Amino acid sequence: MRTRQWLVPLALAVLTHPAAAQEPPAQVPVTLDIDVVAKKLDEDRQQIQPDLGASAYHFSPQTLDAIPQGGASPLNDVLLQAPGVAQDSFGQIHLRGEHANVQYRLNGVELPEGLSVFGQALESRFANSMTLITGALPAQYGFQTAGVVDIQTKTGATNPGGEISMYGGSWNWLQPSISYGGTAGTWDYFVTADFMHNNRGIENPTSSFNAIHDTTDQFHGLAYLADIIDPDTRISFILGGFSGGFQIPNNPGQATLGFSVLGKSSFNSADLNETQTEDTEFGIVSLQKHIDDVDLQLSAYTRLSRLQFTPDPIGDLLFNGIAQNATRTDQAYGVQADASWAATDHHTIRFGMLAQEEGVVSKTLSDVLPVDASGIPTTDVPEGIANTSAKQGGLYGVYVQDEWRILPTVTINSGLRFDGVDEYTSGTQLSPRLNVVWKPTKTTTLHVGYARYFVPPPFELVGSATLAQFAQTTGAAPSTRNNTVLPERSDYYDIGISKVVIPGLTVGVDAYFKQSTDLIDEGQFGAPIILTAFNYAKGLQEGVELTGSYDRGPWSIYGNVALSRAMGKDIVSAQYNFSAEELAYIANNWIHLDHDQLWTGSAGVAYTLNGDSERPTRVSVDAIVQSGLRADTVDVPNGMALPTYGVVNVSVVQKVAERTELRLDVLNIGDNVYEIRNGTGVGVGAPQYGIRRTILVGVTQRF
């Protein structure tokens, strides 16, 4: 792939920085306390990129461990416990009525989006702690702005020693894992890996207990290595990867399109054999430095993501009119720099940049049948259409902001971002940000914020469709309109208050309002499970969140309720994916977005028995209640909400020896049958049902 010349020297500057030398400077004392210095540097890094004025929901190590499944819990399931998070199919989540648009950071470094649909490259097992940041984000956060998932990874200092775990149960679930961390001299290291096999890889398209053709095998791994050069300098390396194979579950009883392929006109949809593989690898190298009143972190990163869909060659043609073998590869690499300068007692200046180069290669081989003017196939012998496309692009952003402590109880955080994109589309924007935080009492905090956002289209999900190739075939698109997907531009307002009512008990309320131009959404169109981005000309999101938590002694309790509305009008890009009727209605009417959900609730309780003994027992219960995503009515796209549902999960963890622990997790203990999707809606594919009762047991041995 062609490389932008300015990225190479910047990346090499990090990799060849003197701090990366193998031999530490002679002046470093051999008695350097790595644990203490690592903790100090972690705190310094947090000061470089604070969430000042935004809405932040924190998951401590204890919280992550108490959630059912613990470290084996998928990251999206953990985030469902935060306010305003809606559950979708394929493990997707939506924050505050937004489409995906979630930014993930590892130790402050933004990780580029990937192609994975079913699997997740990041796991809660990697996290020592995690924070979900939403609302009016400070200027250091750009590009993906629905929310920021800031993961502080486990290290040898935070998680020393080894751990072997065997976990499994229902659905032929088998999930062994291993981790080990420690320190040696000035080095800090941590590695973890797990393998998972089960027969519940993707949501079941039917309400039956067992899905047909739904086996998955997945691998996750992460390695962290850091060298503390001196008490103010650290260079760190992160390598991670995910590999997953998925069978696409079948929905029996589906009707074919009424023609024949190679003499075959009937096909049992329960016998379809579609599969998808997904792979992601990423690497980050960071240099962190504290110099007098300045803290900075300079990082270089890369991410390689691949996805391949393999169709059922005859079945897909009979049901969809096209059997498409699709492969897509996306490689991104870039540099990120962030700095914080305590200029005076009242002003802290923060500034930084990110520059990223990305290349996408798409290859498809599609079997279709030629048709006559009335749309009837002229032969039952498929013809192949091959297409290969490649595109190189980049995005960049710079920011500066001032944290001004104007009064002991009032802080104003003002900033500017300048962002640009040069991919399938081009554009720039100067975006002001402003947050005010007021603490009228020691127990009360009020924040008000405004943010101007610029969101580039997800490069890996924008394709260069070759519609003419499929003309007069069974694979022809509903229309030939295909305007380029544009960057989303929006104004975001947020206000909230939190109060410590009594020691351990905190309550809060937060309200937001967002107006967008060229609102970006995503949908699944056709059999390949590859999402496609498109724009609504106008977008609107608004809502309110109520939160409460109590954490004291053996008790840990939380509860959240959120109300929201997300609307869009007039689809103005990638129109070939939609019918003429859909486009005409949406052009003249506001509709609910397919992921809009009126209200969302989550709650949890954890209690530790015999906490002071050598054999403590922790019992935890969590629940989500959701009012249902959108589906089509006869006349209105996304015109109705699916039924409300609730799910309760239970976990018991028992320490049986000094280093041995047993756990029992029961997911959906009530075996509630609930529908996430019914197969209709703008950009919605097949029906999806939530997981049925699942019993999982595990044993963990530490050493």
Side-chain angles (χ1 to χ4, degrees):
M1 291 184 178
R2 178 179 58 86
T3 303
R4 292 180 188 249
Q5 296 179 351
W6 45 265
L7 275 179
V8 174
L10 282 172
L12 291 176
V14 177
L15 296 171
T16 60
H17 191 280
Q22 293 298 312
E23 295 296 329
Q27 66 268 25
V28 176
V30 295
T31 58
L32 186 68
D33 192 326
I34 298 300
D35 292 349
V36 172
V37 175
K39 181 178 179 180
K40 170 189 172 295
L41 289 170
D42 288 345
E43 293 172 350
D44 291 343
R45 184 173 61 211
Q46 291 292 83
Q47 290 304 309
I48 297 174
Q49 299 174 331
D51 52 49
L52 186 67
S55 300
Y57 197 88
H58 185 65
F59 296 87
S60 67
Q62 294 77 19
T63 302
L64 292 171
D65 192 47
I67 290 174
Q69 295 188 267
S73 178
L75 198 59
N76 62 293
D77 286 351
V78 176
L79 295 173
L80 284 174
Q81 307 307 315
V85 183
Q87 177 178 225
D88 204 343
S89 54
F90 305 149
Q92 284 190 312
I93 58 169
H94 302 284
L95 307 179
R96 294 187 167 190
E98 296 269 10
H99 59 94
N101 191 27
V102 179
Q103 178 181 144
Y104 293 89
R105 292 191 171 213
L106 291 178
N107 296 343
V109 182
E110 184 176 343
L111 194 64
E113 290 185 279
L115 288 165
S116 294
V117 178
F118 306 136
Q120 300 181 41
L122 302 178
E123 281 196 308
S124 54
R125 190 186 309 279
F126 300 166
N128 179 59
S129 66
M130 185 168 65
T131 302
L132 173 62
I133 308 169
T134 60
L137 302 177
Q140 69 261 28
Y141 300 113
F143 306 120
Q144 290 80 43
T145 54
V148 178
V149 179
D150 184 17
I151 298 173
Q152 301 299 307
T153 63
K154 292 177 179 177
T155 68
T158 61
N159 293 80
E163 179 179 295
I164 296 177
S165 176
M166 181 60 72
Y167 188 66
S170 302
W171 320 103
N172 291 324
W173 199 304
L174 181 64
Q175 190 171 2
S177 65
I178 186 170
S179 65
Y180 190 78
T183 58
T186 60
W187 290 93
D188 181 349
Y189 57 89
F190 178 83
V191 294
T192 183
D194 75 90
F195 169 80
M196 182 177 73
H197 167 91
N198 65 42
N199 296 334
R200 193 56 169 73
I202 306 172
E203 290 89 352
N204 191 344
T206 76
S207 59
S208 64
F209 190 88
N210 292 303
I212 302 172
H213 193 256
D214 199 11
T215 298
T216 183
D217 291 295
Q218 302 177 40
F219 168 82
H220 296 87
L222 181 89
Y224 170 88
L225 181 65
D227 186 17
I228 297 179
I229 309 300
D230 58 53
D232 295 319
T233 309
R234 172 171 61 186
I235 186 168
S236 61
F237 306 86
I238 296 176
L239 295 175
F242 159 76
S243 180
F246 302 86
Q247 293 179 337
I248 310 301
N250 297 332
N251 191 0
Q254 301 303 298
T256 65
L257 295 177
F259 49 75
S260 62
V261 176
L262 298 177
K264 188 171 184 177
S265 59
S266 63
F267 199 104
N268 186 350
S269 58
D271 296 332
L272 281 168
N273 184 23
E274 301 170 332
T275 60
Q276 185 152 304
T277 58
E278 302 175 0
D279 299 279
T280 298
E281 297 94 39
F282 58 88
I284 300 170
V285 55
S286 298
L287 173 67
Q288 185 184 347
K289 184 72 177 177
H290 175 83
I291 308 172
D292 297 327
D293 296 322
V294 176
D295 286 288
L296 61 88
Q297 179 167 276
L298 176 63
S299 305
Y301 60 84
T302 183
R303 190 266 300 127
L304 176 64
S305 184
R306 296 178 297 272
L307 182 152
Q308 180 171 8
F309 174 83
T310 302
D312 187 300
I314 295 180
D316 274 28
L317 254 174
L318 288 171
F319 289 107
N320 305 311
I322 181 172
Q324 186 174 82
N325 192 310
T327 302
R328 191 170 294 186
T329 302
D330 180 281
Q331 184 166 17
Y333 41 92
V335 292
Q336 177 182 329
D338 300 280
S340 175
W341 171 38
T344 70
D345 291 340
H346 299 284
H347 290 272
T348 299
I349 309 299
R350 295 183 175 90
F351 50 93
M353 56 78 68
L354 183 146
Q356 179 175 300
E357 177 82 0
E358 191 167 6
V360 176
V361 177
S362 176
K363 298 180 180 180
T364 61
L365 179 59
S366 307
D367 284 341
V368 295
L369 297 178
V371 298
D372 58 22
S374 60
I376 299 175
T378 57
T379 177
D380 68 350
V381 179
E383 64 178 36
I385 298 176
N387 180 260
T388 299
S389 64
K391 181 70 174 178
Q392 199 85 6
L395 53 83
Y396 50 90
V398 296
Y399 72 89
V400 62
Q401 62 185 6
D402 175 26
E403 179 186 335
W404 178 20
R405 292 168 292 280
I406 187 172
L407 294 172
T409 59
V410 178
T411 300
I412 300 175
N413 192 39
S414 58
L416 282 174
R417 278 194 69 90
F418 180 78
D419 294 309
V421 59
D422 181 14
E423 296 173 337
Y424 283 102
T425 187
S426 298
T428 60
Q429 180 173 289
L430 182 65
S431 305
R433 308 282 178 89
L434 178 66
N435 288 286
V436 180
V437 180
W438 175 39
K439 296 196 68 172
T441 71
K442 292 182 179 180
T443 59
T444 305
T445 303
L446 173 71
H447 71 264
V448 180
Y450 165 79
R452 177 71 174 165
Y453 287 146
F454 175 84
V455 180
F459 189 41
E460 70 281 4
L461 302 185
V462 179
S464 54
T466 52
L467 304 179
Q469 287 182 292
F470 294 94
Q472 296 183 324
T473 74
T474 52
S479 71
T480 57
R481 295 172 60 193
N482 185 27
N483 292 357
T484 302
V485 184
L486 301 171
E488 177 184 314
R489 305 170 191 267
S490 62
D491 296 288
Y492 198 109
Y493 307 87
D494 184 277
I495 182 170
I497 186 171
S498 65
K499 182 173 180 59
V500 179
V501 180
I502 59 174
L505 175 61
T506 302
V507 297
V509 60
D510 198 285
Y512 60 91
F513 177 79
K514 177 188 174 188
Q515 284 184 309
S516 306
T517 301
D518 297 320
L519 170 70
I520 297 175
D521 203 348
E522 299 168 3
Q524 182 211 331
F525 307 97
I529 317 297
I530 302 175
L531 301 181
T532 300
F534 62 94
N535 296 106
Y536 289 91
K538 298 179 181 180
L540 169 68
Q541 286 118 315
E542 57 187 355
V544 61
E545 299 169 351
L546 306 174
T547 64
S549 64
Y550 178 78
D551 199 345
R552 196 169 181 84
W555 290 98
S556 180
I557 306 171
Y558 69 90
N560 309 296
V561 177
L563 301 174
S564 71
R565 183 176 68 144
M567 309 290 289
K569 183 179 181 181
D570 193 11
I571 295 174
V572 292
S573 62
Q575 298 96 327
Y576 69 93
N577 293 295
F578 305 92
S579 68
E581 293 77 15
E582 278 184 315
L583 292 173
Y585 184 92
I586 300 170
N588 297 298
N589 298 275
W590 286 89
I591 67 166
H592 293 271
L593 302 184
D594 70 282
H595 52 262
D596 183 29
Q597 187 163 261
L598 177 60
W599 61 271
T600 303
S602 61
V605 178
Y607 182 78
T608 303
L609 296 85
N610 306 317
D612 297 329
S613 73
E614 296 180 354
R615 304 288 188 270
T617 305
R618 186 184 65 245
V619 180
S620 60
V621 180
D622 70 34
I624 62 167
V625 184
Q626 312 229 337
S627 64
L629 302 176
R630 308 300 297 189
D632 289 344
T633 63
V634 175
D635 301 319
V636 181
N638 299 338
M640 72 173 191
L642 293 173
T644 297
Y645 64 88
V647 179
V648 177
N649 308 311
V650 176
S651 177
V652 180
V653 179
Q654 176 66 58
K655 191 173 183 180
V656 296
E658 182 180 358
R659 295 179 177 270
T660 307
E661 186 177 88
L662 302 177
R663 75 176 302 133
L664 167 67
D665 297 316
V666 184
L667 311 180
N668 192 2
I669 191 170
D671 197 26
N672 186 23
V673 180
Y674 62 98
E675 195 171 36
I676 301 174
R677 293 289 192 183
N678 74 352
T680 70
V682 178
V684 176
Q688 307 286 337
Y689 283 81
I691 192 168
R692 300 286 294 274
R693 182 189 294 121
T694 303
I695 301 174
L696 301 168
V697 296
V699 57
T700 299
Q701 179 66 49
R702 296 182 174 88
F703 57 92

